[in-house]
Amino acid sequence: MRAVLYDRYGSPDVLYLSRVPRPEPGPGEILVKVRAFSVNGGETAARSGRLRALTGRRFPKRVGMDFSGEVAALGPGVARFTVGDLVWGVTGRTAFGSAAEYVAVPAERAGLLPEGVDPVRAASLPAATAAVVALRDKAGLRPGDRLLVRGAAGGVGHAVVQLGRAWGAEVTGLARAANLDFVRELGAHRAVDHRGVRPEELGRFDVVVDTVGSDLGAYRRLLRPGGRMVTIAFDLGRPVASLGGIALSAVHGRRRIRFFSGNPHRAEFDDLARLVSEGSLRPAVDRVFPLEETADAHRALEAGGVRGKYVVRVA
């Protein structure tokens, strides 16, 4: 099968398309014929070498964290799916490899696509499971809460805006000036150019959801009494200081920063399907690339300014 690989850390130029053996599903796994996948910040950071302490120096390496596609085969012990089912899912927090014609993944990391949803557009949504967890489980968002979303036009942020509005919050989204109309279209009551305002000028909030990772302390100070801040990112330029600051926030005062790295299971994909079916969440695809142009998709994401997701079509 065809797959995207790289033999050294570096810019998107290190990515290349090659042929590798098609995987076989092991116990508890499904083999998925990939229709599409999206490009995520975690994989671009891994490819560039910024996470080499975690990813190591064994090459070649693969890219692609999420996917949509069709079940092609079942491993031993899998009863929930049947061959031919349309599914979406993730490879797992520390695994990559969906940038390929086939991928074998644990069945618990996948869910059935909602009926009528285009598989290519659906590839933009697995990351939205992080938005569900951030708002519902970590922040306990309530109707009437004032919600601030950093990175409101991005892969997770655009889902946070939609769900915040659907769940009754008053939503303020921070994004680039060129994306403010898009953020308003998603449902934000207020869209603000992040480059033209200081944090202290934004007001006070019950919930802050951060997808950027920098200056976390400045945004933590915007919380009202009883406020909650959730981040899915940390500052890759200062990882030790950034993660240390997150840890210290739990010690000093009640306004701690809740940090988590999305690693969804079956239940989260069932929730995602329900939210899409009821209209609370819709795909937002900025641009679709062919598999041969995966490097261009990485370049586009690293250039900034994405509206929703960049998706790569495999078949």
Side-chain angles (χ1 to χ4, degrees), residues 8-229:
R8 66 186 189 280
Y9 294 124
S11 73
D13 293 338
V14 302
L15 297 177
Y16 64 93
L17 191 61
S18 185
R19 300 197 73 85
V20 299
R22 193 178 86 172
E24 296 294 332
E29 292 185 334
I30 58 174
L31 179 68
V32 177
K33 183 178 182 179
V34 180
R35 297 277 190 92
F37 61 92
S38 75
V39 181
N40 298 278
E43 65 187 288
T44 60
R47 185 220 69 235
S48 69
R50 286 179 289 171
L51 301 178
R52 69 184 66 198
L54 299 175
T55 55
R57 294 187 174 275
R58 293 187 61 182
F59 294 98
K61 295 186 184 297
R62 304 275 294 275
V63 294
M65 299 174 65
D66 54 32
F67 60 85
S68 67
E70 179 181 340
V71 176
L74 305 175
V78 176
R80 183 184 181 217
F81 297 105
T82 59
V83 172
D85 282 342
L86 291 178
V87 296
W88 53 10
V90 296
T91 56
R93 179 184 293 141
T94 58
F96 299 97
S98 63
E101 291 178 317
Y102 291 87
V103 64
V105 298
E108 66 177 8
R109 300 289 184 194
L112 293 170
L113 275 187
E115 187 174 349
V117 177
D118 174 66
V120 175
R121 289 179 59 78
S124 70
L125 283 175
T129 55
V132 177
V133 173
L135 289 177
R136 183 191 63 194
D137 303 336
K138 301 296 183 180
L141 186 75
R142 298 184 291 264
D145 278 347
R146 295 196 72 218
L147 167 65
L148 175 66
V149 186
R150 290 189 75 201
V156 175
H158 86 282
V160 175
V161 171
Q162 292 182 68
L163 292 178
R165 179 63 183 256
W167 292 347
E170 180 188 327
V171 183
T172 296
L174 290 178
R176 292 187 175 196
N179 288 342
L180 297 184
D181 286 343
F182 172 69
V183 173
R184 295 186 190 99
E185 291 168 5
L186 294 171
H189 297 84
R190 183 168 62 134
V192 180
D193 179 4
H194 72 94
R195 294 175 175 174
V197 64
R198 295 190 300 271
E200 60 270 21
E201 297 172 339
L202 292 167
R204 298 290 178 176
F205 298 89
D206 302 290
V207 175
V208 175
V209 175
D210 182 279
T211 70
V212 179
S214 60
D215 299 322
L216 296 179
Y219 288 92
R220 178 194 180 203
R221 288 190 287 272
L222 304 185
L223 292 174
R224 290 173 167 175
R228 294 85 68 200
M229 180 171 177

